[in-house]
Amino acid sequence: ASPVIELITHPTQPHLLLSLSLDKTMKLWNLDQILQNHIHDDSINPNPICTFSRLVNETKKPIGKYFCFNSTGTKIITGGQDREMWDWTVPEAILTNSIDDDDTLQVTTAKKYEVGAP
C-alpha cells in the first residue's frame, strides 16, 4: 500500500471519502460499506469503490498534488506544478449507489486543461 497524501469527503454524500496517494492514484471509498463489513469481520482489507489513474502506454502518470470535488460531486479536478489540470467524471453508478459491494470501478481518462505560465 502506498502512503496517502490527502483525504477529502464528497460534498453531497459524506460517506464517500476520496484519497490521493503516492502511487499516482485517487481512490473513492464508501465508509458506510467499510464499517458495515468491519462489524461482521474485523480482519477485512477494504477495497475502494473506484480507482482513478492516468494511464499512458500502460504506465501510470502523476494525477497531481491537489484535488477537489465540484460543488455537486459529479467531477473531480486535479492539478499540480506541471501546469496541467485534469477534469475527472465520477461514475454515475457511484452517485446513484447502484454499484455492487464487491466491485471496484476503474477510471483512466480525464479531460486535460493546459494552464498558462504565471
Side-chain angles (χ1 to χ4, degrees), residues 15-53:
H15 66 282
L16 298 179
L17 182 70
L18 185 65
S19 65
L20 178 65
S21 301
L22 288 178
D23 67 357
K24 303 176 185 173
T25 64
M26 289 185 297
K27 293 178 180 160
L28 193 59
W29 307 85
N30 183 331
L31 296 180
D32 288 344
Q33 177 186 9
I34 292 169
L35 292 174
Q36 182 179 14
N37 290 341
H38 186 68
I39 289 170
H40 302 292
D41 181 0
D42 63 0
S43 67
I44 65 160
N45 187 7
N47 292 318
I49 56 174
C50 188
T51 299
F52 298 83
S53 59

Side-chain angles (χ1 to χ4, degrees), residues 5-6 11 18 38 40 50-51 53-54 56 60 62-63 80 88 91 98 100 102-103 110 118:
I5 299 169
E6 185 92 27
L18 185 65
H38 186 68
H40 302 292
C50 188
T51 299
S53 59
R54 284 181 48 215
V56 177
K60 281 187 195 173
I63 286 179
W88 304 83
S98 57
D100 291 335
D102 297 331
D103 286 347

Side-chain angles (χ1 to χ4, degrees), residues 82-100:
D82 58 2
R83 297 194 322 244
E84 294 178 351
M85 289 179 51
W86 296 86
D87 179 349
W88 304 83
T89 300
V90 177
E92 184 69 25
I94 290 171
L95 300 173
T96 58
N97 293 319
S98 57
I99 183 173
D100 291 335

Side-chain angles (χ1 to χ4, degrees), residues 26 52 54 63 68-70 74-79 84-90 107-114:
M26 289 185 297
F52 298 83
R54 284 181 48 215
I63 286 179
C68 66
F69 282 104
N70 67 346
T74 58
K75 299 278 188 178
I76 302 165
I77 305 298
T78 62
E84 294 178 351
M85 289 179 51
W86 296 86
D87 179 349
W88 304 83
T89 300
V90 177
V107 176
T108 58
T109 57
K111 186 173 182 180
K112 178 181 173 181
Y113 297 96
E114 294 283 341

